[in-house]
Amino acid sequence: MQYRANQTGSNEAGAARRAPRRGYSMVLTTLAASLLLAACTGDEAELKVQRAEAVRAMLGMAEEGSVIPLTGGDTLHVSAATIEFYRGRDWQSAWVGPKNLLAQGNALHEALGRAWEDGLPPERYRYDVATAVLAGVEETGDAHLSDSLAVLHLADLDVLLTEGFNRLAHDLVMGMLEPAEAGLDDRIAGDEPPGGTIIRRVIAGEDPAELVRELRPSLPQYERMRTALLAFKEAEVGGGWSWVEADTTLQKGDRGESVALLRQRLMAGVDVEEAVLAEAGVSDPTFFDPDLERAVQRFQARHAVQADGVVGATTLRELNHTVEEWIAELRLNLDRWRWLPKSLGERYVLVNIAGFEMEVVDEGRVIEAMNVVVGQLDTATPLFADSIQYVVVNPYWNIPDGIMERTIRPAMEADPDYLAKNDMEVYQGRVRQRPGPMNSLGRFKFIFPNEFDVYLHDTPDGHLFARTERAFSSGCVRIERPRDFARMLLRLQSDRDPDSLDAILATGEENWIKLDRALPVYLLYFTAWAQEDGTVRFHHDVYGRSEVMDEQAEEMKSAPSL
């Protein structure tokens, strides 16, 4: 079963094959006569048979990806999972009774309506169409449907709910968006799609809401981001926040209407600490007091801006993003989690390239975190997963071919003494840099063998970790506190004494330590991040990977309000 991101909207007729209408029309002609008889007799058993006939008319000749017509004039893409579900039950309806939805049908309908809580648009799962059909079926008085027409609408509703939940189950496991279609190369395999197994569990009596919880990524980061999305949705329902206008920079000690607008903006935001700090000076709202400065600094730190407390053009731009824009960013990043395996393991290293940060997670809790430097745009750090197997102390730096051609060879031609000045040598026909204080890898290198020759390592350029944006490397990942990381690896992943590192360092000679237990490492890309304490941070799209997803991500912006 496979769904594409463009399978949504009120009419799906143009995007896939249509089910043959001739057979459908012939069946409906026969069905109409039977329905008239059933309506006259009021036989519920006969109406059930006729609903099965209506379902068969829709799906009996359909194939995966077919677009079937609905009684009310709409259309629906159907998956193989939906077709096989009904074929396996001899086309009988599953969720409707003679007049309305059964209990499991109501539960399915509600689950589809709450898809937005995972950043997914309910319209993709035809919740809006199902709701309209249900309203028509339940209509009383002069506008009520005839029994014969109600049977057809109820059959439509049944299929709508089945297909909708099959789609939702797929998207919760696989993600809604297709990064490969946007030209993005992600080398991390996700889980297998759920197929038709989930809907059969619903018909067996399981609660759809519980199944949704089961299908979600079992990662604390995903749940924290869902919580963040709910907070931003509440802010949206409350009207969002006002625009901050300022002709000049704003800083502590300033006074004016622009300061009052800044204060109102921070008080209306989702970050509690910022709101409390901004509100502290509300008795004199036009004065830029120290508490407001601290609120601005916190906002800047959360939005990848230098936290100097001064509101310049960059900070103003971040302040004036609408709540709807931040909601769209959260939705995109929730989908990024769904592209990954449901579980990343009990203990793992997670590098967020866009956030220039690394975490070590153990049983769902962050036990170590530090800043990192990643690849420049033209030597971008790739996204992939592997396992750390070696800690190399006092490493040689074997110059990669690309760096050799771009940097080292021209420098050697310009200065015959370049190698000696940089503690380099030619070894077995290749240039390498000796261990020591000049070594570009520093004192530690962490190897997870991969096709990209990318690894984590120390660096002599420690000053770069103080920068807000840290895309300076040739593709490898420089980490801020490599000695702490090395000791942690020896403590958790090997049987060696972490204190032995100092003696090895003192030798000045290269030493490879093989870990007894390899540690999974994931190099990922998230432009929104929810921390354990609930703080929500947004990162710049340093590699443009969010921008290229914009066309697909537009479809995620149409979820209903709370």
Side-chain angles (χ1 to χ4, degrees), residues 240-244 256-270 274-275 278-279 281-282 285-286 292 319:
W241 41 72
S242 57
W243 186 270
V244 180
E257 190 57 35
S258 292
V259 175
L261 292 173
L262 171 64
R263 188 182 302 280
Q264 291 170 11
R265 162 63 182 88
L266 293 172
M267 288 170 58
V270 301
E274 287 168 21
E279 192 174 5
V282 73
T286 62
L292 187 58
L319 285 164

Side-chain angles (χ1 to χ4, degrees), residues 104 201-208 210-211 214:
Q104 284 294 76
R201 291 172 62 182
V202 179
I203 200 66
E206 294 193 48
D207 183 0
E210 288 296 328
L211 290 173
E214 178 185 317

